[in-house]
């Protein structure tokens, strides 16, 4: 999954709404308490799990989306939840967020912030109903999800505070990890925010271990995050090729697994050097690549 | 895990809570849509023409310039120009929502005509095809365009599932 960038007008609108919420909370220190955000927005929170799906069943009989269709398949909502691994739902009519109780705590926090994001953006409400009148296109759904993610990030990273602090010194995987913890967020979301804040070319990857991927199931690359300039200037550089490159200098095992300088060609064929570092936390390999300089002609090329 | 699948109970509950709506997100909406069989797509070129004309004629009916409509709806002029020229394949959801409020159309309907969603039911689809065929860009709203616009707008506002 790659990050997509929102238009300036949309991001300004979102940021205005987030700014108001944070002002109403007295511009709090990190980590942001989401229960306070929900209190300001008057949102309820509920939970479901495979062992306690009462809230889904309670909700099920209220669904009139597709009318009689659902009555003939009363387990449809549970099918949907399982089929799409939905971890969080938002009920605009009840102003309630429903989360999967089995999520790890940090992921619960992000899932909750994401659903709060949907609730803040009033243009999401008519589009998020399970409406019998229309089916959202995939690209529209992706856009709405990206907007909710952006909103969640602006909230939980307190708008520009995280990036201002991060960029006050050299950005490394360690600095991203530490500051993400301070803000109460996952390293993945911290990496995401960090890379999107770079005004130089940069990228990050969340993937399988580059030396052990044949032993693991699932997608090789879960997330490929590019700074705006990287997305614009290195359009032909594929995440698969970058992943293969990691295998040439990373070692097996956990923790820091490798660093190297990697040369990439931009859209015009000019070569640039990036400093790449990789860390494996037993679940994912986290890679951060930051821009160094234009390559001098005498050095060998990737 | 055990749930009540008694049909009579479900029917009773559905009748008690008619018109309540739950949002389960776009993916869920799409999943349910997969089991329905009577969706009808509007051909892409036709849809763009109809949407472009609907926005342009509605704007002119309100006696607004493109810049004025963009300002009232808080959307980019460039995106509005693209929409009215039929060049916008994927408008932003926010743009469509804001336009629906200024032009006074149900946002769900405008989503379907703009391409952000696939419409259900035949009536809107057929009306969109007719409207695209009838409308033509001229500076002033002709009586025929006025009539075509009124007829199409009535369908946009009033059509329901299964029409």
């Amino acid at each position: 999954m790659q990050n997509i960038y929102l238009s300036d007008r949309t991001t300004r609108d979102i940021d205005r709404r987030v700014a108001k919420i944070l002002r109403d909370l007295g511009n709090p220190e990190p980590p942001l308490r989401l229960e306070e955000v929900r209190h300001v927005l008057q949102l309820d929170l509920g939970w479901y799990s495979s062992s306690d799906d009462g809230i889904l069943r309670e909700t099920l009989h209220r669904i009139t989306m597709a009318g009689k269709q659902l009555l003939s398949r009363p387990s449809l909502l549970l099918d949907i939840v399982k089929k799409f691994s939905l971890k969080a739902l938002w009920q605009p009519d009840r102003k309630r967020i429903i989360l999967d109780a089995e999520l790890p705590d940090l992921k619960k926090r992000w899932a909750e912030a994401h659903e709060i994001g949907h609730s803040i953006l009033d243009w999401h409400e008519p589009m998020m109903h399970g409406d019998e009148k229309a089916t959202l296109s995939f690209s529209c759904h992706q856009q709405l999800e990206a907007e909710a993610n952006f909103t969640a990030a602006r909230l939980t990273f307190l708008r520009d505070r995280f990036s201002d602090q991060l960029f006050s010194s050299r950005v490394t995987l360690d600095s991203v990890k530490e500051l993400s913890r301070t803000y109460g967020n996952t390293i993945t979301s911290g990496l995401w925010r960090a890379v999107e804040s770079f005004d130089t070319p940069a990228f990050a990857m969340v993937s399988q271990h580059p030396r052990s991927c044949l032993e693991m199931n699932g997608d090789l690359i879960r997330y490929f995050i590019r700074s705006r300039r990287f997305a614009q200037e290195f359009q032909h550089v594929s995440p698969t090729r970058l992943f293969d490159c990691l295998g040439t200098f990373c070692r097996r095992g956990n923790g820091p697994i490798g660093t190297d300088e990697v040369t990439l060609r931009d859209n015009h064929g000019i070569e640039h050097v990036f400093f790449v570092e990789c860390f494996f936390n037993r679940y994912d390999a986290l890679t951060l690549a930051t821009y160094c300089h234009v390559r001098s002609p005498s050095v060998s090329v990737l | 895990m055990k749930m009540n699948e008694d049909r009579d109970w479900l029917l009773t509950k559905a009748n008690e809570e008619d018109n309540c709506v739950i949002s389960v997100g776009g993916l869920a909406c799409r999943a349910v849509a997969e089991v329905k069989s009577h969706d009808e797509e509007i051909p892409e070129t036709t849809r763009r023409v109809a949407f472009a004309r609907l926005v342009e004629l509605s704007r002119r009916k309100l006696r607004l310039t493109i810049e004025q409509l963009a300002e009232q709806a808080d959307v980019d002029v460039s995106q509005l120009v693209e929409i009215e020229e039929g060049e916008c394949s994927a408008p932003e959801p926010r743009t469509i929502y804001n336009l629906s409020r200024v032009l006074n159309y149900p946002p769900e309907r405008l989503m379907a005509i703009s391409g952000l969603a696939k419409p259900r039911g035949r009536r809107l689809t057929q009306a969109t095809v007719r409207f695209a065929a009838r409308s033509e860009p001229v500076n002033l709203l002709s009586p025929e365009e006025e009539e075509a616009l009124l007829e199409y707008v009535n369908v946009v506002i009033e059509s329901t599932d299964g029409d």
Side-chain angles (χ1 to χ4, degrees):
Chain A
M1 172 182 158
Q2 291 188 146
N3 55 328
I4 62 176
Y5 281 94
L6 309 178
S7 70
D8 289 344
R9 197 174 282 268
T10 297
T11 57
R12 277 199 304 271
D13 193 340
I14 292 173
D15 201 46
R16 244 190 335 261
R17 294 161 192 255
V18 170
K20 181 177 184 311
I21 291 169
L22 294 178
R23 259 196 323 271
D24 290 347
L25 292 173
N27 291 316
E29 293 295 305
L32 179 70
R33 292 167 59 89
L34 292 180
E35 57 270 34
E36 292 179 2
V37 176
R38 280 190 286 106
H39 178 74
V40 160
L41 298 174
Q42 297 177 314
L43 291 173
D44 284 335
L45 180 63
W47 306 93
Y48 70 85
S49 70
S50 56
S51 57
D52 180 9
D53 67 341
I55 198 168
L56 288 181
R57 284 193 281 147
E58 170 208 318
T59 304
L60 182 65
H61 63 262
R62 287 192 164 89
I63 296 177
T64 57
M65 171 183 71
K68 309 297 187 287
Q69 175 70 42
L70 285 174
L71 287 181
S72 65
R73 288 186 58 192
S75 63
L76 187 60
L77 180 58
L78 296 172
D79 287 345
I80 289 166
V81 168
K82 286 178 200 163
K83 179 179 176 181
F84 290 100
S85 297
L86 294 180
K87 298 301 179 188
L89 306 170
W90 169 51
Q91 291 179 267
D93 59 319
R94 299 278 299 269
K95 295 201 73 172
R96 181 166 66 178
I97 293 169
I98 309 174
L99 296 182
D100 183 346
E102 287 160 16
L103 279 176
D105 288 342
L106 278 180
K107 292 195 178 183
K108 271 196 197 102
R109 176 176 168 78
W110 181 259
E112 185 180 346
H114 176 94
E115 299 305 319
I116 289 173
H118 279 305
S119 76
I120 292 170
L121 308 180
D122 47 7
W123 63 90
H124 282 212
E125 203 234 320
M127 306 197 180
M128 297 298 284
H129 286 302
D131 203 303
E132 68 271 18
K133 297 188 185 69
T135 311
L136 288 186
S137 70
F138 183 69
S139 61
C140 179
H141 173 76
Q142 274 198 314
Q143 174 79 12
L144 297 177
E145 292 301 289
E147 290 172 357
N149 280 337
F150 180 80
T151 311
R154 293 305 279 173
L155 260 178
T156 57
F157 289 98
L158 303 180
R159 298 175 72 211
D160 293 322
R161 268 182 81 163
F162 172 82
S163 53
D164 287 348
Q165 267 184 274
L166 187 66
F167 285 85
S168 62
S169 56
R170 184 168 164 246
V171 179
T172 62
L173 261 181
D174 280 342
S175 66
V176 172
K177 280 191 280 175
E178 191 178 324
L179 207 54
S180 299
R181 269 195 287 270
T182 302
Y183 280 73
N185 296 327
T186 62
I187 299 166
T188 299
S189 58
L191 255 186
W192 207 293
R193 301 292 77 68
V195 168
E196 289 194 335
S197 303
F198 271 93
D199 54 14
T200 54
F203 67 86
M205 223 182 313
V206 179
S207 66
Q208 294 192 20
H209 195 301
R211 294 294 302 275
S212 313
C213 50
L214 291 177
E215 300 153 14
M216 300 167 74
N217 297 320
D219 294 332
L220 275 181
I221 301 163
R222 201 146 56 91
Y223 302 117
F224 177 50
I225 310 141
R226 304 154 300 161
S227 69
R228 207 180 273 264
R229 276 193 62 187
F230 190 92
Q232 287 165 349
E233 298 174 18
F234 294 82
Q235 289 173 2
H236 68 284
V237 176
S238 77
T240 313
R241 190 153 170 260
L242 290 171
F243 181 80
D244 291 341
C245 172
L246 296 180
T248 66
F249 65 83
C250 288
R251 61 173 184 82
R252 292 178 184 275
N254 301 322
I257 56 173
T259 63
D260 202 359
E261 288 191 345
V262 169
T263 301
L264 301 173
R265 283 201 178 94
D266 67 17
N267 300 340
H268 303 291
I270 299 168
E271 290 149 2
H272 303 262
V273 177
F274 289 78
F275 177 71
V276 183
E277 47 177 329
C278 201
F279 181 97
F280 188 70
N281 63 7
R282 292 193 175 84
Y283 305 102
D284 294 309
L286 309 172
T287 301
L288 175 64
T290 51
Y291 186 79
C292 295
H293 51 81
V294 176
R295 189 186 77 89
S296 72
S298 60
V299 179
S300 60
V301 176
L302 172 70
Chain B
M1 176 177 78
K2 194 151 174 62
M3 56 179 293
N4 189 352
E5 295 195 18
D6 179 79
R7 186 180 169 77
D8 288 339
W9 180 83
L10 288 168
L11 276 171
T12 304
K13 286 298 178 187
N15 287 333
E16 282 173 10
E17 288 162 272
D18 197 20
N19 293 325
C20 290
V21 180
I22 180 178
S23 162
V24 293
L27 275 176
C29 181
R30 192 162 60 116
V32 172
E34 284 167 2
V35 303
K36 296 202 80 172
S37 59
H38 58 267
D39 290 357
E40 197 163 308
E41 292 213 33
I42 305 173
E44 173 65 10
T45 311
T46 305
R47 183 198 61 69
R48 283 202 210 184
V49 168
F51 181 51
R53 291 297 152 254
L54 177 65
V55 172
E56 183 204 345
L57 296 181
S58 304
R59 171 180 61 75
R60 285 163 52 194
K61 194 166 161 49
L62 294 173
R63 303 203 185 284
L64 295 173
T65 64
I66 289 183
E67 290 80 4
Q68 287 167 339
L69 176 57
E71 188 180 335
Q72 284 195 24
D74 189 23
V75 300
D76 287 334
V77 169
S78 56
Q79 183 157 105
L80 196 47
V81 167
E82 273 186 7
I83 287 171
E84 289 201 9
E85 291 182 352
E87 298 293 321
C88 190
S89 59
E92 289 194 307
R94 179 183 172 279
T95 298
I96 299 307
Y97 178 80
N98 286 3
L99 280 177
S100 73
R101 293 179 73 180
V102 175
L103 301 178
N104 202 25
Y105 294 136
E108 300 87 356
R109 285 286 180 264
L110 217 55
M111 276 163 53
I113 303 164
S114 69
L116 289 181
K118 292 179 193 173
R120 307 279 185 87
R122 293 200 180 88
R123 190 173 174 215
L124 180 61
T125 302
Q126 291 170 349
T128 301
V129 172
R130 278 199 308 274
F131 181 67
R134 288 177 68 184
S135 63
E136 195 171 288
V138 297
N139 288 332
L140 296 174
L141 218 56
S142 66
E144 292 77 20
E145 281 176 325
E146 178 96 27
E147 185 188 355
L149 175 62
L150 273 176
E151 188 181 309
Y152 188 47
V153 165
N154 283 337
V155 176
V156 168
I157 292 172
E158 290 170 6
S159 65
T160 56
D161 181 36
D163 279 351

